[in-house]
Amino acid sequence: MITALRGFRDIWGEDWEVFEEIISTFKNRLRDFNVAWIETPILEPLELFVRSVGEFTDIVQKQMFSFRDRGNREVALRPEGTAGVVRAFVENRLSYPIRLAYFGPMFRAERPQKGRYRQFYQLGVEFIGFSGPYADAEGLISAYLPLKDLGLKVKVFVNTLGGEEAKVKYSEKLRDYLMDLDFLCEDCIRRRERNPLRVLDCKVCSPKLSPPDILEMVPKNERDNFDKTIRILEKYGVPVERDPKLVRGLDYYTGLVFEIKAEELDAAQNTILAGGRYDNLIYQLGGENIPAFGWAAGIDRISLIYKPSQKPKDLYFVVRTSDEYFEEAFEVLMILRNSNKRADMVFEEGKSLKAQMRRANKLGARWVVFVGEEEVKRGVVKVRDMETGEEFITSLD
Ligand code: ATP
Ligand code: MG
């Protein structure tokens, strides 16, 4: 037997329906934010991720599925969505401001565990050409509302990187602080030299640190923006908590950063959505100097905690009293489907009415539609509601 690769999984049936409910909840909300949907390639030039996510990040150093293709080009399965969307924005010269949204599989070679897979699904947005506290606030609100619609209990954590200059200054100050520590893990000993911010999102070391606060380095106007964003969020019913160690694992962020955590998940995998402001990435990837803000939701993790609405499956199951009425039964099936009803029937010949009823039960059909001599003669069908046992006769036109 050939099995799926480690960390890769199949999603089908009810689990896929849960996925779809989550996605459509996001879609409904994001529609109100006037987003346009975009689909970008799963395979991209490796360099795109090195330049955007950052060479000295875990994603690029340890988690990427990258290889040489048949033309000897260095390519990678996308580990996240922002880089590709920004590349598409620049390459296709999209007009802006524009709010883009995407959904699709992402790939990271991480150690698989519950809520952490090597192929996982993100739904995300990139709001391009918007800046200032109202833009930051609306970006975060666009992430929070769908999660509320799904009925999830969440907490929102925010921080600011204070702009590119503050980020660089803080990195240096943080490096000095980290240099004196003797308990860092091997990875962090390397990180503190090349990319000290990344030490703050190390799941092992970060909890043991009391680093200097970035706010000390954030210029006044950025600080005011941050405070104002929080006030706007609170006014619109999004309670936030500041996490001074929150910096996110990707290098392109420059301003507000945030993470939304679900109370019901284990700490190692409880971030269900994360994002922030990245004002330099578009320029870095060859575009104009355009500010932007984005987030991505982890649909696999949300599906672990989302309780789907318990609607009965409104399936109509057409049964025939004998194969003589196969043609009529098929006609009824098509009429039902043409009027947008989920409908099915047994296609094999020689199945007794009882066997057909068993199939209807197995599929959880709500309605059984009978086609027999009497019905065909009168041009009607008999319908049984399987929940109440009630029956009625109806014509189908
Ligand atoms: P974590 O700290 O849990 O590794 P991350 O910071 O690497 O998350 P992001 O790059 O910000 O994650 O991706 C946004 C969201 O995508 C995460 O909050 C999470 O819900 C989801 N996600 C990231 N990696 C995985 C994965 N390997 N499997 C499932 N979901 C994931
Ligand atoms: Mg990660």
Side-chain angles (χ1 to χ4, degrees):
M1 186 179 57
I2 299 174
T3 57
L5 298 168
R6 194 167 123 78
F8 289 76
R9 65 192 185 125
D10 308 301
I11 306 166
W12 72 91
E14 274 165 32
D15 289 344
W16 182 250
E17 281 179 23
V18 165
F19 255 61
E20 280 197 329
E21 266 187 51
I22 296 168
I23 296 160
S24 72
T25 305
F26 272 94
K27 282 199 166 156
N28 281 337
R29 263 301 170 182
L30 290 175
R31 196 186 151 273
D32 305 343
F33 285 78
N34 196 25
V35 303
W37 287 81
I38 183 165
E39 178 85 21
T40 65
I42 286 168
L43 199 64
E44 294 270 12
L46 172 65
E47 196 196 347
L48 174 64
F49 305 111
V50 176
R51 287 221 333 237
S52 54
V53 174
E55 186 174 358
F56 300 110
T57 56
D58 278 9
I59 293 178
V60 167
Q61 295 260 312
K62 300 201 272 187
Q63 302 178 346
M64 209 129 62
F65 284 95
S66 55
F67 54 95
R68 285 185 183 275
D69 71 4
R70 287 163 191 274
N72 209 30
R73 285 170 290 258
E74 286 196 289
V75 297
L77 292 175
R78 63 182 182 194
E80 59 100 57
T82 302
V85 172
V86 168
R87 181 205 46 70
F89 170 83
V90 173
E91 184 174 337
N92 299 299
R93 300 171 191 278
L94 300 192
S95 60
Y96 61 91
I98 188 170
R99 297 187 189 82
L100 296 167
Y102 62 87
F103 168 76
M106 306 294 160
F107 302 84
R108 295 184 195 175
E110 307 195 60
R111 194 168 70 77
Q113 40 196 304
K114 194 173 172 206
R116 196 177 288 283
Y117 313 100
R118 291 184 170 173
Q119 173 173 339
F120 60 99
Y121 293 82
Q122 284 186 341
L123 188 152
V125 306
E126 313 301 340
F127 291 180
I128 298 176
F130 298 88
S131 68
Y134 286 98
D136 283 355
E138 85 138 4
L140 206 153
I141 291 169
S142 75
Y144 183 77
L145 289 180
L147 298 175
K148 280 280 118 182
D149 292 342
L150 289 165
L152 304 182
K153 284 201 201 81
V154 297
K155 273 200 163 147
V156 183
F157 295 90
V158 295
N159 196 17
T160 179
L161 297 174
E164 192 64 42
E165 226 177 283
K167 187 174 143 183
V168 171
K169 264 205 268 173
Y170 179 65
S171 290
E172 281 162 22
K173 185 148 183 192
L174 184 64
R175 183 184 290 117
D176 292 343
Y177 162 78
L178 294 170
M179 280 304 175
D180 296 334
L181 303 180
D182 56 9
F183 56 77
L184 295 181
C185 72
E186 246 171 69
D187 280 336
C188 283
I189 290 174
R190 237 171 297 127
R191 289 181 186 124
R192 74 178 164 188
E193 301 266 1
R194 292 173 174 170
N195 198 346
L197 280 181
R198 297 286 74 85
V199 177
L200 294 185
D201 37 49
C202 171
K203 293 195 166 56
V204 182
C205 299
S206 183
K208 302 182 207 156
L209 305 176
S210 352
D213 192 331
I214 194 166
L215 277 190
E216 291 162 25
M217 247 133 274
V218 172
K220 179 159 185 333
N221 66 321
E222 284 292 338
R223 175 81 196 249
D224 290 346
N225 276 346
F226 183 55
D227 292 342
K228 186 158 181 190
T229 303
I230 293 174
R231 281 203 303 279
I232 299 166
L233 287 168
E234 277 168 357
K235 175 165 175 194
Y236 290 95
V238 185
V240 299
E241 209 174 296
R242 176 161 183 254
D243 175 355
K245 289 187 201 166
L246 174 59
V247 291
R248 315 271 311 108
L250 303 95
D251 282 351
Y252 50 66
Y253 291 111
T254 52
L256 181 78
V257 284
F258 72 101
E259 284 189 354
I260 303 187
K261 297 189 181 192
E263 291 173 13
E264 287 164 67
L265 288 171
D266 295 344
Q269 273 87 238
N270 65 352
T271 304
I272 55 172
L273 188 152
R277 170 158 298 283
Y278 54 92
D279 284 349
N280 296 330
L281 181 60
I282 296 170
Y283 183 74
Q284 270 169 33
L285 292 180
E288 291 170 62
N289 205 347
I290 305 169
F293 179 100
W295 51 255
I299 304 302
D300 308 75
R301 287 188 194 171
I302 294 175
S303 78
L304 292 175
I305 47 172
Y306 173 60
K307 316 251 177 338
S309 50
Q310 291 291 331
K311 339 185 210 30
K313 214 189 210 173
D314 281 330
L315 175 68
Y316 289 75
F317 203 83
V318 184
V319 298
R320 52 195 182 269
T321 53
S322 104
D323 282 345
E324 232 178 288
Y325 306 111
F326 194 118
E327 191 180 335
E328 288 84 356
F330 187 77
E331 172 77 9
V332 170
L333 180 73
M334 288 327 233
I335 292 170
L336 286 165
R337 287 176 176 171
N338 276 336
S339 51
N340 232 328
K341 304 264 192 291
R342 185 201 288 241
D344 206 345
M345 66 183 254
V346 169
F347 275 71
E348 308 97 287
E349 289 187 11
K351 292 281 177 200
S352 67
L353 188 57
K354 220 168 152 190
Q356 295 175 63
M357 292 298 286
R358 267 202 302 276
R359 184 82 57 89
N361 273 323
K362 195 170 160 201
L363 293 175
R366 168 78 196 268
W367 315 95
V368 172
V369 182
F370 292 86
V371 178
E373 189 185 353
E374 180 69 19
E375 285 83 8
V376 170
K377 228 192 296 168
R378 293 172 51 196
V380 296
V381 291
K382 185 169 77 183
V383 181
R384 182 184 299 165
D385 180 337
M386 299 301 278
E387 265 181 22
T388 62
E390 277 167 47
E391 291 188 347
F392 58 91
I393 305 282
T394 178
S395 77
L396 279 173
D397 34 54

